[in-house]
Amino acid sequence: MTTAPDANAQITGAAASPSWRAALVKQFGHPTGLVGRLAGWIMATRPSNRQRNAWTVGLLSLQPGEHVLEVGFGPGLSLAHAAAAVGPSGTVTGIDRSAVMLRQAARRNRRAIADGRMALRIANVEALREGGDRFDAILAVNVVGFWLDRRGTIEILRARLAPGGRLAITVQPRSKGATADTTRRVGAELERDLEAAGFAAVRSERLALDPPAVCVMGTTA
Ligand SMILES: C[S@@+](CC[C@H](N)C(=O)[O-])C[C@H]1O[C@@H](n2cnc3c(N)ncnc32)[C@H](O)[C@@H]1O
């Protein structure tokens, strides 16, 4: 099933946008070339984005030795927080469809990669359908609005979690005029998606930004 374009547009801000804005939004969804490098720099330095990423990793209460996957790591802020939380006996894996983001994230996390505690690769989230390692925790920050089949993708992520694993999906709606009410609607939709995908203990937390960000979390049985 494909997610309705309007549902994604209220998250990404691509709805009814002038073409320059649509082009910029596209760069945040798949950074390429010089403008993509600029988008990565903006994401890495914007205080709200730094806060959102640190907050999401904190909500997962990662423990030393755990294995974590981030989908759509962008410039790699959450990867760094996750690596610090799981420590030398844990691992962090990241996938992102952008080669430009892979380079920025790899630079930011070169020590963890050199130590063999972090592995990053270019891939679309749908590649996770093919199977492979299972993780204690999976996170995605401001990425879900770019997934064409949101519910199907959440099901793919569930299959990649170990029993008792946690999923955290954070969104700050970027559509023009987005308010706390937009955040509430997006959070409620995501909660329904997680429940439909079979997650237990589904709940949301909010971060006081303008508009607020929401992190929707669930656990596998
Ligand atoms: C708005 S950025 C957010 C980056 C990072 N999570 C952050 O908060 O700083 C979205 C990122 O997700 C990646 N992305 C979007 N759709 C994806 C998909 N279907 N599969 C893999 N990566 C994706 C993009 O390449 C981009 O790096």
Side-chain angles (χ1 to χ4, degrees), residues 104-120:
Q104 291 192 6
R107 262 202 308 277
R108 178 160 284 105
N109 292 281
R110 55 183 167 274
R111 170 60 70 79
I113 293 170
D115 291 348
R117 301 189 289 116
M118 186 182 291
L120 306 182

PDB file of all heavy atoms in Angstrom, residues 104-120:
ATOM      1  N   GLN A 104      29.427  12.464   4.908  1.00  0.00           N
ATOM      2  CA  GLN A 104      29.415  13.369   6.076  1.00  0.00           C
ATOM      3  C   GLN A 104      29.320  12.579   7.378  1.00  0.00           C
ATOM      4  O   GLN A 104      30.020  12.869   8.349  1.00  0.00           O
ATOM      5  CB  GLN A 104      28.242  14.358   5.975  1.00  0.00           C
ATOM      6  CG  GLN A 104      28.421  15.375   4.861  1.00  0.00           C
ATOM      7  CD  GLN A 104      27.431  16.535   4.926  1.00  0.00           C
ATOM      8  OE1 GLN A 104      26.648  16.670   5.866  1.00  0.00           O
ATOM      9  NE2 GLN A 104      27.481  17.394   3.919  1.00  0.00           N
ATOM     10  N   ALA A 105      28.451  11.575   7.390  1.00  0.00           N
ATOM     11  CA  ALA A 105      28.272  10.783   8.622  1.00  0.00           C
ATOM     12  C   ALA A 105      29.538   9.981   8.935  1.00  0.00           C
ATOM     13  O   ALA A 105      29.918   9.832  10.104  1.00  0.00           O
ATOM     14  CB  ALA A 105      27.076   9.851   8.470  1.00  0.00           C
ATOM     15  N   ALA A 106      30.196   9.484   7.895  1.00  0.00           N
ATOM     16  CA  ALA A 106      31.413   8.690   8.117  1.00  0.00           C
ATOM     17  C   ALA A 106      32.522   9.576   8.679  1.00  0.00           C
ATOM     18  O   ALA A 106      33.289   9.150   9.554  1.00  0.00           O
ATOM     19  CB  ALA A 106      31.852   8.030   6.811  1.00  0.00           C
ATOM     20  N   ARG A 107      32.608  10.817   8.201  1.00  0.00           N
ATOM     21  CA  ARG A 107      33.618  11.747   8.751  1.00  0.00           C
ATOM     22  C   ARG A 107      33.331  12.025  10.220  1.00  0.00           C
ATOM     23  O   ARG A 107      34.219  12.008  11.069  1.00  0.00           O
ATOM     24  CB  ARG A 107      33.593  13.064   7.976  1.00  0.00           C
ATOM     25  CG  ARG A 107      34.669  13.157   6.911  1.00  0.00           C
ATOM     26  CD  ARG A 107      34.986  14.593   6.520  1.00  0.00           C
ATOM     27  NE  ARG A 107      33.816  15.381   6.158  1.00  0.00           N
ATOM     28  CZ  ARG A 107      33.252  15.367   4.956  1.00  0.00           C
ATOM     29  NH1 ARG A 107      33.739  14.607   4.005  1.00  0.00           N
ATOM     30  NH2 ARG A 107      32.202  16.110   4.699  1.00  0.00           N
ATOM     31  N   ARG A 108      32.069  12.271  10.518  1.00  0.00           N
ATOM     32  CA  ARG A 108      31.677  12.616  11.891  1.00  0.00           C
ATOM     33  C   ARG A 108      31.909  11.441  12.851  1.00  0.00           C
ATOM     34  O   ARG A 108      32.120  11.649  14.044  1.00  0.00           O
ATOM     35  CB  ARG A 108      30.208  13.044  11.886  1.00  0.00           C
ATOM     36  CG  ARG A 108      29.637  13.387  13.224  1.00  0.00           C
ATOM     37  CD  ARG A 108      28.377  14.251  13.157  1.00  0.00           C
ATOM     38  NE  ARG A 108      28.673  15.641  12.856  1.00  0.00           N
ATOM     39  CZ  ARG A 108      28.470  16.229  11.681  1.00  0.00           C
ATOM     40  NH1 ARG A 108      27.921  15.560  10.707  1.00  0.00           N
ATOM     41  NH2 ARG A 108      28.800  17.478  11.489  1.00  0.00           N
ATOM     42  N   ASN A 109      31.882  10.210  12.334  1.00  0.00           N
ATOM     43  CA  ASN A 109      31.949   9.021  13.198  1.00  0.00           C
ATOM     44  C   ASN A 109      33.164   8.160  12.867  1.00  0.00           C
ATOM     45  O   ASN A 109      33.134   6.946  13.060  1.00  0.00           O
ATOM     46  CB  ASN A 109      30.662   8.209  13.029  1.00  0.00           C
ATOM     47  CG  ASN A 109      29.447   8.937  13.592  1.00  0.00           C
ATOM     48  OD1 ASN A 109      29.226   8.943  14.800  1.00  0.00           O
ATOM     49  ND2 ASN A 109      28.666   9.573  12.727  1.00  0.00           N
ATOM     50  N   ARG A 110      34.255   8.795  12.390  1.00  0.00           N
ATOM     51  CA  ARG A 110      35.356   7.978  11.866  1.00  0.00           C
ATOM     52  C   ARG A 110      35.983   7.082  12.918  1.00  0.00           C
ATOM     53  O   ARG A 110      36.405   5.973  12.621  1.00  0.00           O
ATOM     54  CB  ARG A 110      36.395   8.833  11.150  1.00  0.00           C
ATOM     55  CG  ARG A 110      36.991   9.960  11.937  1.00  0.00           C
ATOM     56  CD  ARG A 110      37.965  10.760  11.055  1.00  0.00           C
ATOM     57  NE  ARG A 110      38.321  12.021  11.677  1.00  0.00           N
ATOM     58  CZ  ARG A 110      37.614  13.136  11.554  1.00  0.00           C
ATOM     59  NH1 ARG A 110      36.536  13.166  10.819  1.00  0.00           N
ATOM     60  NH2 ARG A 110      37.976  14.239  12.187  1.00  0.00           N
ATOM     61  N   ARG A 111      36.037   7.546  14.167  1.00  0.00           N
ATOM     62  CA  ARG A 111      36.657   6.735  15.208  1.00  0.00           C
ATOM     63  C   ARG A 111      35.876   5.433  15.438  1.00  0.00           C
ATOM     64  O   ARG A 111      36.453   4.335  15.469  1.00  0.00           O
ATOM     65  CB  ARG A 111      36.746   7.556  16.504  1.00  0.00           C
ATOM     66  CG  ARG A 111      37.156   6.762  17.732  1.00  0.00           C
ATOM     67  CD  ARG A 111      38.534   6.106  17.578  1.00  0.00           C
ATOM     68  NE  ARG A 111      39.617   7.053  17.593  1.00  0.00           N
ATOM     69  CZ  ARG A 111      40.140   7.617  18.694  1.00  0.00           C
ATOM     70  NH1 ARG A 111      39.653   7.332  19.867  1.00  0.00           N
ATOM     71  NH2 ARG A 111      41.139   8.463  18.616  1.00  0.00           N
ATOM     72  N   ALA A 112      34.560   5.542  15.584  1.00  0.00           N
ATOM     73  CA  ALA A 112      33.732   4.340  15.822  1.00  0.00           C
ATOM     74  C   ALA A 112      33.815   3.383  14.636  1.00  0.00           C
ATOM     75  O   ALA A 112      33.846   2.159  14.815  1.00  0.00           O
ATOM     76  CB  ALA A 112      32.279   4.739  16.081  1.00  0.00           C
ATOM     77  N   ILE A 113      33.901   3.944  13.422  1.00  0.00           N
ATOM     78  CA  ILE A 113      34.004   3.080  12.232  1.00  0.00           C
ATOM     79  C   ILE A 113      35.357   2.378  12.227  1.00  0.00           C
ATOM     80  O   ILE A 113      35.448   1.161  12.008  1.00  0.00           O
ATOM     81  CB  ILE A 113      33.795   3.913  10.942  1.00  0.00           C
ATOM     82  CG1 ILE A 113      32.344   4.414  10.895  1.00  0.00           C
ATOM     83  CG2 ILE A 113      34.123   3.092   9.701  1.00  0.00           C
ATOM     84  CD1 ILE A 113      32.057   5.431   9.805  1.00  0.00           C
ATOM     85  N   ALA A 114      36.417   3.143  12.527  1.00  0.00           N
ATOM     86  CA  ALA A 114      37.765   2.548  12.542  1.00  0.00           C
ATOM     87  C   ALA A 114      37.865   1.459  13.607  1.00  0.00           C
ATOM     88  O   ALA A 114      38.556   0.451  13.424  1.00  0.00           O
ATOM     89  CB  ALA A 114      38.810   3.641  12.801  1.00  0.00           C
ATOM     90  N   ASP A 115      37.162   1.636  14.708  1.00  0.00           N
ATOM     91  CA  ASP A 115      37.184   0.633  15.783  1.00  0.00           C
ATOM     92  C   ASP A 115      36.305  -0.573  15.466  1.00  0.00           C
ATOM     93  O   ASP A 115      36.226  -1.511  16.281  1.00  0.00           O
ATOM     94  CB  ASP A 115      36.673   1.253  17.100  1.00  0.00           C
ATOM     95  CG  ASP A 115      37.644   2.269  17.659  1.00  0.00           C
ATOM     96  OD1 ASP A 115      38.788   2.327  17.165  1.00  0.00           O
ATOM     97  OD2 ASP A 115      37.251   3.009  18.589  1.00  0.00           O
ATOM     98  N   GLY A 116      35.585  -0.536  14.363  1.00  0.00           N
ATOM     99  CA  GLY A 116      34.715  -1.658  13.991  1.00  0.00           C
ATOM    100  C   GLY A 116      33.422  -1.700  14.778  1.00  0.00           C
ATOM    101  O   GLY A 116      32.724  -2.723  14.779  1.00  0.00           O
ATOM    102  N   ARG A 117      33.066  -0.585  15.406  1.00  0.00           N
ATOM    103  CA  ARG A 117      31.822  -0.557  16.203  1.00  0.00           C
ATOM    104  C   ARG A 117      30.659   0.040  15.418  1.00  0.00           C
ATOM    105  O   ARG A 117      29.535   0.058  15.883  1.00  0.00           O
ATOM    106  CB  ARG A 117      32.027   0.262  17.485  1.00  0.00           C
ATOM    107  CG  ARG A 117      33.117  -0.269  18.367  1.00  0.00           C
ATOM    108  CD  ARG A 117      33.156   0.422  19.692  1.00  0.00           C
ATOM    109  NE  ARG A 117      33.626   1.791  19.638  1.00  0.00           N
ATOM    110  CZ  ARG A 117      32.882   2.847  19.958  1.00  0.00           C
ATOM    111  NH1 ARG A 117      31.638   2.708  20.335  1.00  0.00           N
ATOM    112  NH2 ARG A 117      33.400   4.062  19.916  1.00  0.00           N
ATOM    113  N   MET A 118      30.970   0.606  14.254  1.00  0.00           N
ATOM    114  CA  MET A 118      29.911   1.238  13.445  1.00  0.00           C
ATOM    115  C   MET A 118      30.108   0.867  11.983  1.00  0.00           C
ATOM    116  O   MET A 118      31.233   0.880  11.483  1.00  0.00           O
ATOM    117  CB  MET A 118      29.959   2.764  13.606  1.00  0.00           C
ATOM    118  CG  MET A 118      28.803   3.487  12.915  1.00  0.00           C
ATOM    119  SD  MET A 118      28.892   5.280  13.054  1.00  0.00           S
ATOM    120  CE  MET A 118      28.585   5.533  14.792  1.00  0.00           C
ATOM    121  N   ALA A 119      28.993   0.535  11.321  1.00  0.00           N
ATOM    122  CA  ALA A 119      29.028   0.221   9.886  1.00  0.00           C
ATOM    123  C   ALA A 119      27.930   1.007   9.188  1.00  0.00           C
ATOM    124  O   ALA A 119      26.766   0.952   9.615  1.00  0.00           O
ATOM    125  CB  ALA A 119      28.816  -1.273   9.666  1.00  0.00           C
ATOM    126  N   LEU A 120      28.313   1.746   8.152  1.00  0.00           N
ATOM    127  CA  LEU A 120      27.340   2.567   7.415  1.00  0.00           C
ATOM    128  C   LEU A 120      27.301   2.100   5.965  1.00  0.00           C
ATOM    129  O   LEU A 120      28.336   1.752   5.405  1.00  0.00           O
ATOM    130  CB  LEU A 120      27.751   4.048   7.454  1.00  0.00           C
ATOM    131  CG  LEU A 120      27.997   4.650   8.835  1.00  0.00           C
ATOM    132  CD1 LEU A 120      28.336   6.139   8.710  1.00  0.00           C
ATOM    133  CD2 LEU A 120      26.785   4.450   9.744  1.00  0.00           C
TER     134      LEU A 120
END
